[in-house]
Amino acid sequence: MKSALITGITGQDGSYLADLLLEKGYKVYALRRRTSVPIMENIQHIENEIEFIEGDLLDLSSLINALKISNPDEVYNLAAQSFVGTSWDQPILTGQVTALGVANMLEAVRIVKPDARFYQASSSEMFGKVVETPQVETTPFYPRSPYGVAKVYGHWMTVNYRESFNMFACSGILFNHESPRRGIEFVTRKITNAVARIKLGLQNELRLGNLDALRDWGFAKDYVECMWLMLQQEKPDDYVIATGEMHSVREFCEIAFGHVGLDYKNYVVTDPKFFRAAEVDLLLGDPAKAISTLGWNPQKTTFKELVQLMVDEDMKKVKQQSNNIMSVGSRA
């Protein structure tokens, strides 16, 4: 039985990756940072199948301990301060977790289990103010946020450890990938959640920033398959993971509201408060290398199918939440 250690398992990527690895017969360990109220919603269905190890990306000794306990064949480093907007409010924390946390994890692997295969979650935000379109593995980075800058550091540290210590270390440069498990603060879930609330009469409007921003959006469940495939190759390498298609935030709104019979123009309000300090106008990845080398299919789930799936799931969640509140109120 292979074993894997995952950081960031409670996020959308970590939870889908855990599903995949358990299906493949792995023993799954998860690094869990101590919090007063653990957020376990995304992994409730598999919580009893995972072994949790307390630790923190900012504490090297805890990472060394986690590597000793899990003795993993594969390490997937997905944990980060991953919300771009927050990175301007908390740039130091973002640097510590999203950048230096990668160095801590790489160093722990080097010390304890140097033959383990390592995956680093890089990001299309590293391209930022793009210098060419579409973006490929060799496109120069030009990050436009503290988050993007931190991801560039983590990416190059992964390359450096691979070349300096002959470690099997890969980076997946994932373009925007969404799912019903996405955090509510991200624009896609913010939209689909609002669609459900507006449709059910619980909300009147949705305030957003730049509706014309263009992104390459895919389904997170499809993307975690690439993470696993990268670590099954003969040689470590870095890959752009994307659909090769670009859509605007406005188009996302149009499909999401239209799916429940509403016109987004009647509910979406542009609010300057939600514009980025330094905007990233467009991101478009070229997944040719992942397709040819990994045998991956980027079109397994279409953009429209993804948006509609997210709306359907949020409709279920909001209805359930509303019913629970009414039930509690009737008993009060």
Side-chain angles (χ1 to χ4, degrees):
M1 178 186 290
K2 278 189 174 182
S3 63
L5 174 64
I6 302 174
T7 72
I9 198 168
T10 58
Q12 68 163 0
D13 290 8
S15 63
Y16 280 123
L17 178 61
D19 287 339
L20 177 68
L21 296 180
L22 287 169
E23 288 172 7
K24 292 183 178 296
Y26 279 64
K27 170 66 177 177
V28 175
Y29 295 86
L31 189 76
R32 178 164 61 184
R33 183 168 57 90
R34 177 176 287 279
T35 58
S36 56
V37 182
I39 301 173
M40 308 292 280
E41 180 182 0
N42 285 339
I43 57 171
Q44 281 181 339
H45 61 294
I46 54 173
E47 187 176 352
N48 294 332
E49 301 177 61
I50 299 167
E51 184 167 332
F52 294 93
I53 306 171
E54 288 193 2
D56 195 301
L57 287 182
L58 302 185
D59 180 37
L60 178 60
S61 62
S62 71
L63 300 182
I64 289 174
N65 181 60
L67 266 295
K68 289 179 178 178
I69 293 173
S70 59
N71 190 35
D73 298 290
E74 298 168 5
V75 176
Y76 296 87
N77 186 45
L78 311 182
Q81 191 301 98
S82 57
F83 187 47
V84 176
T86 298
S87 74
W88 275 287
D89 298 326
Q90 300 178 356
I92 308 304
L93 176 65
T94 300
Q96 289 172 333
V97 176
T98 307
L100 293 177
V102 182
N104 281 336
M105 181 55 77
L106 283 164
E107 185 65 1
V109 172
R110 186 188 69 84
I111 292 170
V112 179
K113 196 70 165 52
D115 62 336
R117 298 191 168 200
F118 180 86
Y119 172 84
Q120 165 59 18
S122 289
S123 168
S124 61
E125 288 289 334
M126 301 188 303
F127 295 120
K129 189 176 181 179
V130 298
V131 299
E132 66 179 6
T133 299
Q135 294 85 58
V136 296
E137 289 79 6
T138 56
T139 300
F141 299 136
Y142 194 148
R144 297 270 281 173
S145 66
Y147 170 77
V149 172
K151 279 294 185 182
V152 169
Y153 176 94
H155 179 86
W156 282 117
M157 282 300 285
T158 303
V159 173
N160 189 260
Y161 268 68
R162 179 170 72 218
E163 297 178 349
S164 300
F165 304 112
N166 197 32
M167 290 171 58
F168 195 108
C170 302
S171 283
I173 307 174
L174 270 63
F175 279 64
N176 293 62
H177 49 291
E178 315 300 326
S179 76
R181 300 182 187 181
R182 185 56 128 165
I184 199 72
E185 71 273 18
F186 290 85
V187 68
T188 51
R189 271 298 309 288
K190 183 178 179 180
I191 293 170
T192 58
N193 178 261
V195 166
R197 291 180 57 80
I198 289 171
K199 181 65 176 178
L200 295 173
L202 302 173
Q203 185 173 322
N204 297 319
E205 67 176 19
L206 169 61
R207 306 186 78 84
L208 297 173
N210 182 12
L211 297 182
D212 296 317
L214 295 164
R215 293 293 184 270
D216 185 328
W217 272 302
F219 185 23
K221 186 177 180 180
D222 297 338
Y223 281 33
V224 299
E225 182 184 1
C226 269
M227 300 177 186
W228 178 78
L229 286 170
M230 286 180 211
L231 299 194
Q232 313 312 310
Q233 305 305 304
E234 290 186 9
K235 296 180 180 180
D237 207 346
D238 306 321
Y239 297 86
V240 161
I241 307 302
T243 68
E245 293 183 358
M246 200 160 49
H247 302 273
S248 67
V249 175
R250 188 184 306 277
E251 186 179 353
F252 196 107
C253 289
E254 185 176 8
I255 294 173
F257 278 90
H259 188 50
V260 295
L262 300 176
D263 185 343
Y264 82 95
K265 296 175 185 176
N266 296 328
Y267 304 98
V268 175
V269 177
T270 301
D271 189 336
K273 180 176 68 173
F274 295 111
F275 279 74
R276 293 185 178 189
E279 187 59 74
V280 173
D281 296 317
L282 66 90
L283 292 171
L284 176 64
D286 181 355
K289 183 177 176 181
I291 294 171
S292 62
T293 304
L294 305 178
W296 181 63
N297 176 15
Q299 298 296 341
K300 189 179 294 185
T301 305
T302 68
F303 175 69
K304 185 176 182 179
E305 288 170 343
L306 170 63
V307 177
Q308 293 177 341
L309 168 67
M310 293 176 66
V311 171
D312 289 341
E313 288 300 311
D314 269 325
M315 286 292 293
K316 293 177 186 176
K317 288 181 182 179
V318 173
K319 282 181 181 177
Q320 185 62 50
Q321 292 167 358
S322 180
N323 290 339
N324 289 344
I325 291 173
M326 291 177 63
S327 176
V328 170
S330 65
R331 294 196 301 266

